[in-house]
RNA sequence: CGCGAGAUAGAGCAGCGGUAGCUCGUCGGGCUCAUAACCCGAAGGUCGGAGGUUCGAUCCCUCCUCUCGCAACCA
């Protein structure tokens, strides 16, 4: 096989506005780490870079939320995230950060090169400007009345109540959140990356050159983007948090975060080179470097379309592959920071690794399950029961048990020493089993080269399974009952036992090598038990039968993994539910706090005929439930007397489903059916808004009462 | 008809033109060195739905349904 001269492996830069969850881990960091560990075991020249992404408007916004500064936010999250990775065995060669001066220089140089080569376009546009704060306003910093639902605290990019995405120009009565003043329109100049100029290149490079080796999900998304028409994308923004645009005429402007963030891979490589006395340039400029980006699917457009265009213009190499993963759901629902439906790395570390019965084996247990269910071809799902099953039945019962029983038997039947191999006595089964070791090695190798991590891991476990089967057929514990007249095991039996356990122990050593990229802590522990140095983990040793020296005394067996108890699973599920409840209460409180005491503007006048078209009926809500994955929707069943209808209503922020069952409501019954989130809504519940923006049902006052 | 990806046993996935398979789980039997594995056997699928091409379709074509993404936060 022809290997590239060197590798540069990147994992998506985590955005430093909060803790990261296991979806991030499974999507980008874990596969990247596994791949890198494999390459390093192959003694290939590889650098694995990552770091915190610390710019963009979301950071100052998070700062406002936490009542602190943007700098304090990134200084808080950067080290925590770095430590989380370390605890889970994600071993970057460098974990850098985009706030570092080196990165600022690198990104500015990058911009300058593109700008000097006339690869950027300059466009002028009118943007909102806050005179008292003397600054242009990012979309998120403008609030106003939503043109769609009349909510007064809609953001410039989206209304939080009706969910409609907006541009600041659409807002009625825009207000700057910096000062509370009304912003003015002011002309501003921005630099754009004209992606449309590179359409031919992208088509050729992605859809033709990589048609065979990139994942179909990645290709599909790229095609969708290209076919949709590529447009120039703004490279700069009017903001004070970020990297200054290196031009005198661009005062008060910074590089747009999407532009500077991927350049962070280059800065990180430079920093690594400084620390290790290496030259960073070949890793980005030499054609014999293989560049691979590990990301989640939301990042495909940046890593497959935008960043490659930037790299090409700058004269750097292009990624050889971008093995993006799909998403990982959690217990039946999408992971979401805002809804608190997530498992953060920190939580897992606290609840498992840092417990007395924890330790690094629990890091490997998570790595195992996340790899086993990695969303390589489609979205997958993390469940605590699944985690328990995978850990208990595969890691503990098959893998751990094989190593344990091999060691236990060796101590019992071979005087705690590695027994000799009597080559002349090898039978067909012995030979087939030995052959299986190198077959497994080749399979794992080939699968890893294709980024098929879950299949590769299966092959590793499968070798342990083969070991169990082999041992079972040989039954050394039965052979040990063949005694001579002195009560000793007969020589013939002992030789059979020796061969069996010799092969089993060599399988153990091979398992350490094969499992090392996936479960590094476990590999290290196996080395300890077998009294071998970590150097044997080098991949060239895989498939070999001479890893353990005959006659060597090994350590007493220790268990590699512990079982996950039912109580732990129950505890985690309960914790998840509680967190969800907490966040529901918090988000339910948002409209009240956010609603200013201003009067909602009146809508345009209508005539009587408009009103007369509406067929109003009285109904009773018979059931109400939250619509999945929609913050604002409730699915209602409303009994109208003559029929019961399903009506989807955007009132979840205002009412608890349980509280409104049985309520009488006014229903517009002749509203055209409309599908929302896959549920057909037949009608509309009448609501009226009070002066503060709060919704109320239009009540029916019954004649009888 | 916006575009892309997906829908196959209880769960997770593979197969992609010729008697539907793997891992886990469940049930029954055997064995026991092991946090028990392993062996034998069993249950469980009209391969999302409807048409079409074909001697023959899970696999190819058309349409439809649903899920996820592109499109707040977000791998």
């Amino acid at each position: 096989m022809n290997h590239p001269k060197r590798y540069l492996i990147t994992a998506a830069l985590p955005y430093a506005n909060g803790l990261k969850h296991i979806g991030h881990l499974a999507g980008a960091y874990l596969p990247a780490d596994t791949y890198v560990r494999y390459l390093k075991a192959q003694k290939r020249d590889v650098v694995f870079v990552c770091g915190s992404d610390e710019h963009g408007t979301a950071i100052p916004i998070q700062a406002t939320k936490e009542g602190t500064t943007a700098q304090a936010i990134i200084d808080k999250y950067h080290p925590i995230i770095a430590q989380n990775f370390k605890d889970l065995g994600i071993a970057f060669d460098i974990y850098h950060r985009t706030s570092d001066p080196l990165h600022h220089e690198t990104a500015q140089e990058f911009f300058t090169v593109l700008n000097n080569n006339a690869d950027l376009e300059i466009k002028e546009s009118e943007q909102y400007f806050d005179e008292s704060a003397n600054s242009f306003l990012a979309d998120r910093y403008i609030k106003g009345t939503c043109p769609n639902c009349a909510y007064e605290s809609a953001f410039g990019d989206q209304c939080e109540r009706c969910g409609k995405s907006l541009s600041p120009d659409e807002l009625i009565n825009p207000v700057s959140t910096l000062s509370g003043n009304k912003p003015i329109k002011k002309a501003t100049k921005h630099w754009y990356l004209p992606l449309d100029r590179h359409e031919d290149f992208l088509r050729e490079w992605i859809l033709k050159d990589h048609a065979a080796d990139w994942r179909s999900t990645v290709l599909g998304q790229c095609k969708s983007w290209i076919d949709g028409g590529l447009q120039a994308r703004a490279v700069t923004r009017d903001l004070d948090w970020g990297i200054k645009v290196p031009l005198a005429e661009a005062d008060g402007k910074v590089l747009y975060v999407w532009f500077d963030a991927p350049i962070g891979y280059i800065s990180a490589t430079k920093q690594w080179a400084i620390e290790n006395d290496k030259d960073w340039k070949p890793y980005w400029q030499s054609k014999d470097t293989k560049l691979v980006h590990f990301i989640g699917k939301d990042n495909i457009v940046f890593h497959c379309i935008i960043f490659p265009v930037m790299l090409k213009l700058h004269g750097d190499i292009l990624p050889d592959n971008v093995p993006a993963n799909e998403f990982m759901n959690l217990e039946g629902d999408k992971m979401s920071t805002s809804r608190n439906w997530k498992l953060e790395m920190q939580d897992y570390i606290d609840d498992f690794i840092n417990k007395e019965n924890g330790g690094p084996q629990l890091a490997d247990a998570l790595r195992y399950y996340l790899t086993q269910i990695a969303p390589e071809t489609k979205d997958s799902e993390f469940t605590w029961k699944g985690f328990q099953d995978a850990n208990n039945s595969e890691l503990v019962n098959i893998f751990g048990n094989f190593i344990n029983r091999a060691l236990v038997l060796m101590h019992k039947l071979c005087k705690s020493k590695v027994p000799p191999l009597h080559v002349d006595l090898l039978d067909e089964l012995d030979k087939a089993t030995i052959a299986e070791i190198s077959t497994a090695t080749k399979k794992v190798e080939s699968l890893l080269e294709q980024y098929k991590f879950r299949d590769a891991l299966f092959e590793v476990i499968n070798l342990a399974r083969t070991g169990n089967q082999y041992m079972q057929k040989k039954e050394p514990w039965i052979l040990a009952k063949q005694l001579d007249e002195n009560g000793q095991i007969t020589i013939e039996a002992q030789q059979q036992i020796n061969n069996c356990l010799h092969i089993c122990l060599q399988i153990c050593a091979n398992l350490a090598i094969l499992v090392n990229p996936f479960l590094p802590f476990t590999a290290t522990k196996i080395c300890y038990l077998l009294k071998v140095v970590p150097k044997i983990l080098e991949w060239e040793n895989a498939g070999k039968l001479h890893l353990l020296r005959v006659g060597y005394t090994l350590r007493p067996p220790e268990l590699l993994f512990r079982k996950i108890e039912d109580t732990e699973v129950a505890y985690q599920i309960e914790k998840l539910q509680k967190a969800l409840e907490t966040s529901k209460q918090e988000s339910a409180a948002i409209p009240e706090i956010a609603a200013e005491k201003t009067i909602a503007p009146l809508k345009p006048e209508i005539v009587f005929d408009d009103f007369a078209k509406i067929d109003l009926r009285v109904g009773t809500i018979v059931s109400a439930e939250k619509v999945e994955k929609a913050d604002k929707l409730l699915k209602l069943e409303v009994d109208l007397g003559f029929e019961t209808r399903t009506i989807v209503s955007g009132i979840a922020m205002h009412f608890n489903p349980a509280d409104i069952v049985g309520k009488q409501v006014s229903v517009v019954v002749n509203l055209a059916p409309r599908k929302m989130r896959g549920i057909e809504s037949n009608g509309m519940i009448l609501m009226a808004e009070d002066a503060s923006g709060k919704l109320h049902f239009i009540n029916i006052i019954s004649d009888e009462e």
Side-chain angles (χ1 to χ4, degrees), chain A residues 304-360:
Chain A
C304 298
I305 307 245
I306 300 175
F307 192 45
V309 166
M310 289 164 61
L311 289 171
K312 175 174 159 269
L313 293 172
H314 189 254
D316 298 313
I317 56 165
L318 300 174
D320 180 79
N321 208 327
V322 184
N325 272 328
E326 301 286 292
F327 281 170
M328 182 174 283
N329 294 329
L330 174 61
E331 295 286 352
D333 212 339
K334 200 191 156 184
M335 274 195 242
S336 159
T337 308
S338 54
R339 285 184 309 118
N340 229 356
W341 191 258
K342 62 192 167 174
L343 173 63
E344 281 166 356
M345 293 192 276
Q346 185 69 59
D347 286 333
Y348 183 86
I349 291 165
D350 291 342
D351 286 356
F352 290 93
I353 299 175
N354 288 346
K355 285 276 160 67
E356 322 80 75
N357 61 352

Side-chain angles (χ1 to χ4, degrees), chain A residues 104-170:
Chain A
H104 281 242
E105 284 167 29
T106 305
Q108 287 176 336
E109 182 271 348
F110 207 104
F111 174 89
T112 304
V113 168
L114 266 54
N115 193 42
N116 289 348
N117 291 340
D119 286 324
L120 300 179
E121 286 170 356
I122 302 174
K123 291 183 193 174
E124 199 162 276
S125 62
E126 297 255 304
Q127 299 282 328
Y128 278 117
F129 183 84
D130 185 326
E131 288 180 297
S132 56
N134 192 32
S135 75
F136 281 98
L137 296 165
D139 296 352
R140 271 263 143 179
Y141 283 112
I142 303 165
K143 270 190 177 180
T145 301
C146 173
N148 189 46
C149 72
Y151 178 55
E152 317 81 64
S153 293
F155 289 111
D157 54 349
Q158 193 188 28
C159 172
E160 290 218 313
R161 192 163 81 184
C162 69
K164 188 177 163 60
S165 55
L166 304 167
S167 82
D169 290 335
E170 296 174 78

